[in-house]
Amino acid sequence: MAALRYAGLDDTDSEDELPPGWEERTTKDGWVYYANHTEEKTQWEHPKTGKRKRVAGDLPYGWEQETDENGQVFFVDHINKRTTYLDPRLAFTVDDNPTKPTSRQRYDGSTTAMEILQGRDFSGKMVVVTGANSGIGFETAKSFALHGAHVILACRNMARASEAVSRILEEWHKAKVEAMTLDLALLRSVQHFAEAFKAKNVSLHVLVCNAAAFALPWSLTKDGLETTFQVNHLGHFYLVQLLQDVLCRSAPARVVVVSSESHRFTDINDSSGKLDFSRLSPSQGEYWAMLAYNRSKLCNILFSNELHRRLSPRGVTSNAVHPGNMMYSSIHRHWWVYTLLFTLARPFTKSM
């Protein structure tokens, strides 16, 4: 094939020769996919053999992987001073054709975010992750960035957010990551973030509502609401409402709300079964940190379900997720009792 010869390689397997109008490409993490220029679509399986492949080994000496303005991966041969969209390692691909397992078999309590995204190319996708400077949010943002997405770390503390951006860039210096200010405890900050994001005139393909507060002592935000309720639920609710038009315009798009199984251990109804709004933002005398957290997580799920019902016909899906029982993170830092509990449980929990 001419493209292979241009890359300094020869076609050695006629069975793998592509039909007219097809092109072989690779993702940043080495998975091979196939572009059908006639029908303008892509697929992971070879159009003739049905096999999935990945490239083996590092790039040859003198070669470097780059990304163009459209998010397409291309390769630079510095020795011969030429570029090509063909991965020079394609002559050394290996088959990846295991029996397709179920999700339960494929992923378990030790599966990492990087493993979940393996083989997926998010080039050209815009992702916003709230609370992305540490913990689950950071790992989520990093995984998206290392798979080609343009990721915005939406954080309250810009110093820590900038440090998180630097950590991601240390792993891949060409990652598209940036930090923007978002304080969910201040509705004005949520509004300013949404305005600043819209001013970029970009799409929004994935919004991960991850930021959360846990075990906080009772306090009111400047908006006059109990802090746990506003940070964990209302701030995200307001953010999604402000960005809803962008999400719909970017369809297919997705909202992911990080909730918790702890939502099962509370309710927001009174004794007669009617919604009791006073439980959402309780007074100091009626406040218990764990119940406040549980109720905010219940609100997350109710919100996600209703959002999906309303927006899925417009191409925007919404999912609420439970990240894992007693996952060790810094969310417990506000009370020493929970810090002790999480420390004792750490050997038996899922790591970041």
Side-chain angles (χ1 to χ4, degrees):
M1 295 168 62
L4 279 170
R5 287 194 296 271
Y6 178 75
L9 305 170
D10 293 319
D11 182 15
T12 58
D13 190 352
S14 58
E15 181 190 37
D16 287 340
E17 185 174 351
L18 294 170
W22 285 82
E23 182 185 357
E24 196 171 32
R25 298 176 178 174
T26 55
T27 63
K28 288 183 177 64
D29 51 353
W31 289 88
V32 178
Y33 68 101
Y34 303 91
N36 183 341
H37 294 294
T38 303
E39 300 181 12
E40 296 185 348
K41 67 178 184 179
T42 61
Q43 64 187 53
W44 293 111
E45 296 80 13
H46 190 284
K48 280 188 176 180
T49 66
K51 295 179 180 178
R52 292 192 177 200
K53 292 187 174 184
R54 55 186 174 85
V55 295
D58 298 326
L59 287 168
Y61 176 76
W63 286 80
E64 184 180 10
Q65 181 175 281
E66 298 276 1
T67 305
D68 65 19
E69 63 275 7
N70 297 316
Q72 176 69 43
V73 175
F74 69 96
F75 301 88
V76 180
D77 179 358
H78 292 290
I79 296 177
N80 296 303
K81 301 187 184 306
R82 58 183 178 176
T83 61
T84 176
Y85 282 90
L86 189 73
D87 191 324
R89 297 169 295 177
L90 282 172
F92 309 102
T93 56
V94 295
D95 290 344
D96 185 74
N97 232 29
T99 302
K100 188 175 182 180
T102 64
S103 296
R104 184 175 296 276
Q105 291 172 322
R106 184 173 182 181
Y107 305 126
D108 58 26
S110 62
T111 304
T112 67
M114 291 295 287
E115 290 171 335
I116 294 291
L117 295 183
Q118 184 180 34
R120 289 162 173 79
D121 184 7
F122 283 85
S123 297
K125 302 297 184 182
M126 176 64 73
V127 178
V128 171
V129 183
T130 68
N133 59 274
S134 64
I136 301 168
F138 174 76
E139 295 298 332
T140 302
K142 181 181 74 172
S143 299
F144 273 123
L146 296 184
H147 284 80
H150 184 153
V151 184
I152 293 177
L153 284 65
C155 306
R156 176 179 58 86
N157 188 319
M158 285 305 293
R160 296 181 63 188
S162 297
E163 180 183 344
V165 168
S166 298
R167 288 165 58 194
I168 295 174
L169 290 173
E170 285 176 1
E171 293 207 28
W172 186 38
H173 71 284
K174 295 179 183 177
K176 297 178 180 178
V177 286
E178 61 179 296
M180 292 179 62
T181 302
L182 173 65
D183 185 354
L184 293 166
L186 187 62
L187 295 181
R188 184 182 302 170
S189 174
V190 178
Q191 184 178 11
H192 288 169
F193 173 88
E195 291 172 352
F197 181 84
K198 288 181 177 181
K200 292 177 175 289
N201 292 316
V202 295
S203 299
L204 177 57
H205 301 100
V206 182
L207 171 58
V208 183
C209 299
N210 162 80
F214 176 77
L216 290 178
W218 183 86
S219 64
L220 295 179
T221 67
K222 291 183 179 180
D223 300 300
L225 297 163
E226 190 277 312
T227 303
T228 300
F229 169 67
Q230 180 166 332
V231 171
N232 291 8
H233 172 64
L234 191 62
H236 281 129
F237 178 93
Y238 188 38
L239 177 64
V240 173
Q241 300 311 302
L242 294 174
L243 296 178
Q244 178 176 309
D245 57 336
V246 184
L247 287 163
C248 292
R249 192 169 63 245
S250 308
R254 173 171 297 181
V255 176
V256 179
V257 183
V258 180
S259 184
S260 170
E261 283 285 354
S262 64
H263 81 276
R264 301 181 185 279
F265 304 106
T266 188
D267 61 67
I268 52 177
N269 296 331
D270 60 21
S271 57
S272 63
K274 295 183 178 179
L275 181 63
D276 184 358
F277 285 100
S278 66
R279 296 191 178 196
L280 300 181
S281 183
S283 63
Q284 187 172 5
E286 298 177 337
Y287 178 79
W288 183 32
M290 195 67 214
L291 269 182
Y293 179 80
N294 294 354
R295 284 169 180 160
S296 69
K297 296 291 106 178
L298 176 57
C299 288
N300 286 163
I301 292 176
L302 296 174
F303 165 57
S304 178
N305 288 349
E306 179 62 15
L307 183 69
H308 182 80
R309 187 187 71 80
R310 295 189 184 192
L311 296 190
S312 57
R314 301 176 64 182
V316 180
T317 59
S318 180
N319 301 89
V321 301
H322 169 59
N325 288 322
M326 292 293 292
M327 179 179 283
Y328 190 87
S329 71
S330 60
I331 196 172
H332 55 79
R333 62 188 179 278
H334 298 290
W335 193 26
W336 70 268
V337 173
Y338 283 113
T339 298
L340 177 61
L341 178 61
F342 272 69
T343 301
L344 293 175
R346 184 171 188 176
F348 311 101
T349 61
K350 186 175 180 178
S351 70
M352 286 295 104

